[in-house]
Amino acid sequence: MHGRLVSVGLASAVFLQNTLLHAYLSCGALPDARSLLRGEINEPNVITHNIMMNGYAKLGSLSDAVELFGRMPRRDVTSWNTLMSGYFQSGQFMDALETFMSMHRSGDSLPNAFTFGCTMKSCGALGWQEVAPQLLGLLTKFGFEDDPDVATAIVDMFVRCGAVDFASKQFSQIKRPTIFCRNSMLAGYAKSYGVDHALELFESMPERDVVSWNMMVSALSQSGRAREALCMAVDMHNRGVRLDSTTYTSSLTACAKLSSLGWGKQLHAQVIRSLPHIDPYVASAMVELYAKCGCFKEARRVFSSLRGRNTVAWTVLIGGFLQYGCFSESLKLFNQMRAELMTVDQFALATIISGCSNRMDMCLVRQLHSLSLKSGHTRAVVISNSLISMYAKCGNLQNAESIFTSMAERDIVSWTGMLTAYSQVGNIGKAREFFDGMSTRNVITWNAMLGAYIQHGAEEDGLKMYSAMLTEKDVIPDWVTYVTLFRGCADMGANKLGDQIIGHTVKVGLILDTSVVNAVITMYSKCGRISEARKIFELLSRKDLVSWNAMITGYSQHGMGKQAIEIFDDMLKKGAKPDYISYVAVLSSCSHSGLVQEGKFYFDMLKRDHNVSPGLEHFSCMVDLLARAGNLIEAKNLIDEMPMKPTAEVWGALLSACKTHGNNDLAELAAKHLFDLDSPDSGGYMLLAKIYADAGKSDDSAQVRKLMRDKGIKKNPGYSWMEVKNKVHVFKAEDVSHPQVIAIREKLDELMEKIAHLGYVRTESLRSEIHHSEKLAVAFGIMNLPAWMPIHIMKNLRICGDCHTVIKLISTVTGREFVIRDAVRFHHFKGGSCSCGDYW
């Protein structure tokens, strides 16, 4: 065509020259276009230059476009738009905005709709929320706010800047929003308001494209609703919408989250049938699916079939092996990746560092740290965060804090990592320093600090933290928040406070969350309200293994062994597979209820039927069960057969039963083993001293107490506490600090006189036990709670025999019900008897 123009003498016509220049550039012939411009176009106009600039930008020569723009004798709005578009397409968003500002200052051209569209896209890409309103004001001044394309760009800009409220307001003013506009709002709602808001908009859309469907599949998968994501993909297919690579990637990721190998294989087959070739992202999702399902042979086969294996695929496969604890295999893959790709990106390195954290191998830790330094990745925030976590888990907080201090840029994960590191070693003060030092906090950070307080027994500080959290505008408590709070209420036995927090979960819509409901079941159980726990359990439509375990454990703590077995058997009938904790719970319930034959049956079942290897907790329960029932020799034989070294809990259970059944010889043997373990707990020493004292061996008893003093072991002080009028009252044996102490002691003396008429005799040896903490709490409860209300008391040690007898008798003379949780189990006193049947 060029030759023809020359031969007919039309090659000098500017219009035809510009058209020819555009044709060369459209064909990617940049050298020919450049030759034409320099050699044949003698009088280029602004259109000529604009065409050449556009060609430079699209063909990857943006610097030439910038240079040409600088030489142009005259520019129009298209010139400016072309340069801005070039900057935007190459990811240089700041330069695009600066070009717009230069255009505005120069005044030689007025912006048009395209100008504002490109400018707002750049602003959105940068997330400059403070600049977005200024652009809106400027385009309104020029009268472009009603332009459909500009209106769509406004919504998209505010969504990308995180100002979804403002985007929603603008969206509502558009009479006929385009699909692109609606898709932008879908993304904004899913990210800021939750997937349910996005679903409402999705359902109301008059038409949807593949992007709309893909957004919802991805949003559901990312929000933990993987099953719904797969159903959405099926619905998409049934409505005739062609699934693309993005759909398959999100769907396969959802399968990986569900560990649904069947669904995944069907999708794999569909991918082979539907797509001309498998791109790296779909293949990486397949590798992730098979790796997370433990099918490493299939994962490797997909991985090996990839033509150009990218770092994503390598990282996913390495992560899959790490998830299943195959650290050696993942390390081999990592080294193979280094050999093939020569370079390792920050995400692959962060993955292997995270896996190393669980190995506690300081030699390997230092090697990976050195590799990070050599590759220059320590400047990457994700690498520094992984190194902080790795050193923290290995107990080297000095190195962790050193890395944190040296970081040029820190994110919320960095601060939260240091907070968590110090809270794990019990340094709550230091953890709080990092929390207070953060400029921005999210719900994860708040939960970390809240969990630190609750975990280390500072429940009141934790509740204050929750109150402060509620005042934060942009922080909404999630299920983790409430699970943590319910654990705190359970530990304190704070019934009323727990009920108030349940009210909060109703307000925020989390009362139906399975994890939250499980926490409520545990809280009610630990607060002595086992009937309410059972009601909540029955109302739970989707019971997971944690739900079943929580209910079995609750009945176990209350000594209701038959009910615990009933729940366990029901769990088996419903197809739930019991785990390690399930068997600990059911064996513990048998132990507390004296169900010896049932306990033996379930102990045999755990390995035979469910391939659960018996651990220390299972053996401890069985020793306790046999010994309590008087089968001391059988219990001792079981200890001798244990495949692991018996712990203090095991020998302590045998020692306690020896005292109950009067076997002093075996008690001495159990005590010897217990003392050899150098346990700091005073319980075993006190038990043996008591055994000697009861047998009239005062010298031996004194010798045990002297051994305690020599080892620096002090008797654990007994505490009891209870909640009255939203305040927790704490009592200590012989305590005189309570403001009502005189009235409490007078009331207790009055009660002791009443039960004396029932035959209770206070011997001289029991005089020191008259003011035990639980007795003081009983007297206080009778004084301050209405007669119809059960009195709930918590205690940090096991209840002693005298207190147990006294409270049974007090329940008779007062007609009151007492629910006492000691260190091992619950005791429900009513009408002169206890739910434990004097078997504790």
Side-chain angles (χ1 to χ4, degrees), residues 11 73 201 237 249 323 374 408 441 524 613 648 671 707 752 755:
L201 175 60
H237 179 266
T249 301
Q323 181 183 345
K374 288 178 182 177
R441 308 182 187 106
Y524 276 147
S613 298
L707 181 61
M752 298 302 286
I755 66 173

Side-chain angles (χ1 to χ4, degrees), residues 372-390:
S372 304
L373 290 167
K374 288 178 182 177
S375 59
H377 284 314
T378 48
R379 290 189 295 272
V381 176
V382 65
I383 293 294
S384 294
N385 289 345
S386 297
L387 288 170
I388 288 171
S389 176
M390 179 173 67

